[in-house]
Amino acid sequence: MAITVDPEPVWDQPNAVSEKWIETVDEGVAATLPKGSLVKGIVPHAFSYWTRTAKIKTEQADGTLRSFFLKVTQHDVGKAMVSGEFESMKALHSISQDLTPEPFGWGTFTQADHVHFFLCEFVDMTDDLPDVEASMKMLAELHANSSSPTGRYGFHIPTLQGTIPQFTKWTDSWEVFFTKSINMVFENEERSQGSDEEVQRLCKETLSKVVPRLLRPLETGGRCIEPRLIHGDIWDGNTSTDVATSLPVIYDATCIYAHNELELAPLRPVRHRMGMQYVKAYFRNFPISPPEEDQDDRNALYCLRWDMNCSSLYPGNLRYRKLCVEVMKSLTEKYADGYEGWAKARGEEVVSR
């Protein structure tokens, strides 16, 4: 199915986090470093819309030099961002040490109780995209080697997409979980961009027709899927190549235990440098969930959730909303008969939720 091409939105708001918070190493941050670390300096590193980021240079107790990556946020939203990122990266790193920087902790500044931080291993990265085959093989292995601690979909603490919390409550059914998740995204987007009758109608039809049609077959008719740990925001802004090892590296995670194919949603938009070639490579390492013929439209549905969340992040900029309207029009027209029509046409028992 075709996706409308659209450029990235222009972000013209100032960063609310003051640069002064990364001019020195706060005592709370220093206490989170490995025991015996001697701070040698701190310098700004990389760019972020909503945080300040820096590289901390240290000498370790054994005399070796080691650097750490620091992310600084503020207020309650910032606290949720860094706590969620730490728990996400910790979960990922427990499964795949080669693919992820080692997380060391998160906390609150000693000198300012409204300022919070995330600290992890500093990885020197190239400006190149990760190798297609290697990155997707490692990502597929991460998914295959993960399992939900509860056997359900969700995560044990809130995690955020940008500055917006996503649905993480433990749920038995993937269809039910995703319905609640994307409905929460729809509501957030309406609060951010304002009410629109067409958008409301399309969102309602997406929830009542498209979601059951594309997701209920995953868990009925003898088919099943398992909750897998996903990074949650895999795109070219959160992936790179480790200079030292030449291996792919992923970071800035916002994890949930989900249908593994949800991971591929940000790889759909043509505005991203990492595209559908990565999706194809992934499926060479992890089988497509049956019904296999639904995979591309499931990907479009999953990407709709991602793009609607992007719309929520940029109030007043309707570019993402326009993209989402076109996708919802296409999906609701194609699946006007919903799940029930599909099941009856295949001679399958109609299962209610």
Side-chain angles (χ1 to χ4, degrees), residues 247-262:
L247 291 173
V249 59
I250 61 176
Y251 47 94
D252 203 11
T254 174
C255 286
I256 52 175
Y257 289 90
H259 180 208
N260 61 290
E261 291 181 14
L262 184 67

Side-chain angles (χ1 to χ4, degrees), residues 88 152-188 191 230 232 254-259 262 305 309:
S88 293
R152 294 179 288 173
Y153 299 94
F155 204 62
H156 61 284
I157 68 166
T159 55
L160 280 67
Q161 293 276 358
T163 58
I164 303 174
Q166 63 179 336
F167 183 76
T168 56
K169 185 177 180 181
W170 293 116
T171 307
D172 291 325
S173 160
W174 172 240
E175 180 194 343
V176 174
F177 179 91
F178 186 84
T179 298
K180 292 181 178 179
S181 176
I182 197 170
N183 187 55
M184 181 175 172
V185 171
F186 288 159
E187 291 174 349
N188 289 338
R191 281 193 293 269
I230 68 166
T254 174
C255 286
I256 52 175
Y257 289 90
H259 180 208
L262 184 67
R305 169 186 173 272
N309 190 78

Side-chain angles (χ1 to χ4, degrees), residues 30-315:
T32 309
L33 292 166
K35 187 177 181 179
S37 297
L38 176 64
V39 174
K40 307 293 286 187
I42 181 171
V43 293
H45 180 81
F47 169 80
S48 172
Y49 286 144
W50 302 291
T51 68
R52 292 289 178 183
T53 52
K55 177 182 181 180
I56 300 175
K57 301 176 182 180
T58 74
E59 181 179 323
Q60 296 298 289
D62 61 2
T64 59
L65 301 179
R66 189 175 187 186
S67 295
F68 300 86
F69 176 79
L70 175 70
K71 177 181 289 187
V72 179
T73 66
Q74 57 190 16
H75 306 308
D76 289 343
V77 169
K79 186 176 183 179
M81 289 170 66
V82 293
S83 62
E85 181 172 358
F86 173 70
E87 291 297 326
S88 293
M89 293 304 299
K90 185 172 71 172
L92 293 172
H93 193 72
S94 70
I95 300 168
S96 181
Q97 293 77 42
D98 290 337
L99 188 59
T100 55
E102 181 182 1
F104 283 91
W106 75 276
T108 299
F109 271 31
T110 300
Q111 61 180 311
D113 62 8
H114 71 289
V115 180
H116 314 284
F117 68 89
F118 165 74
L119 185 75
C120 72
E121 168 191 10
F122 182 88
V123 177
D124 191 14
M125 293 179 280
T126 72
D127 294 328
D128 301 324
L129 295 178
D131 179 79
V132 175
E133 295 297 333
S135 61
M136 292 299 101
K137 182 175 187 294
M138 293 177 75
L139 187 65
E141 288 173 348
L142 185 153
H143 293 161
N145 292 329
S146 70
S147 59
S148 169
T150 66
R152 294 179 288 173
Y153 299 94
F155 204 62
H156 61 284
I157 68 166
T159 55
L160 280 67
Q161 293 276 358
T163 58
I164 303 174
Q166 63 179 336
F167 183 76
T168 56
K169 185 177 180 181
W170 293 116
T171 307
D172 291 325
S173 160
W174 172 240
E175 180 194 343
V176 174
F177 179 91
F178 186 84
T179 298
K180 292 181 178 179
S181 176
I182 197 170
N183 187 55
M184 181 175 172
V185 171
F186 288 159
E187 291 174 349
N188 289 338
E189 200 274 345
E190 183 174 68
R191 281 193 293 269
S192 174
Q193 302 292 14
S195 179
D196 179 275
E197 288 187 6
E198 181 184 37
V199 173
Q200 288 180 334
R201 176 182 61 80
L202 289 169
C203 288
K204 183 177 179 180
E205 291 178 7
T206 298
L207 290 169
S208 64
K209 296 291 186 179
V210 180
V211 173
R213 164 59 187 87
L214 290 175
L215 301 192
R216 197 169 302 172
L218 292 168
E219 302 174 295
T220 57
R223 296 170 292 269
C224 65
I225 55 173
E226 296 179 29
R228 305 288 185 176
L229 181 66
I230 68 166
H231 172 284
D233 199 12
I234 291 287
W235 68 291
D236 40 276
N238 292 333
T239 61
S240 188
T241 301
D242 187 327
V243 170
T245 65
S246 297
L247 291 173
V249 59
I250 61 176
Y251 47 94
D252 203 11
T254 174
C255 286
I256 52 175
Y257 289 90
H259 180 208
N260 61 290
E261 291 181 14
L262 184 67
E263 188 83 279
L264 309 177
L267 302 178
R268 188 178 187 85
V270 294
R271 63 183 179 271
H272 291 168
R273 294 165 62 210
M274 288 179 68
M276 296 301 283
Q277 73 272 31
Y278 286 84
V279 174
K280 292 177 181 178
Y282 177 85
F283 285 127
R284 287 194 282 272
N285 294 278
F286 201 112
I288 297 173
S289 299
E292 291 84 351
E293 63 272 18
D294 288 347
Q295 183 275 318
D296 188 61
D297 285 342
R298 285 196 301 264
N299 184 251
L301 175 63
Y302 293 163
C303 186
L304 171 66
R305 169 186 173 272
W306 200 80
D307 271 345
M308 283 291 267
N309 190 78
C310 290
S311 181
S312 302
L313 292 170
Y314 305 101

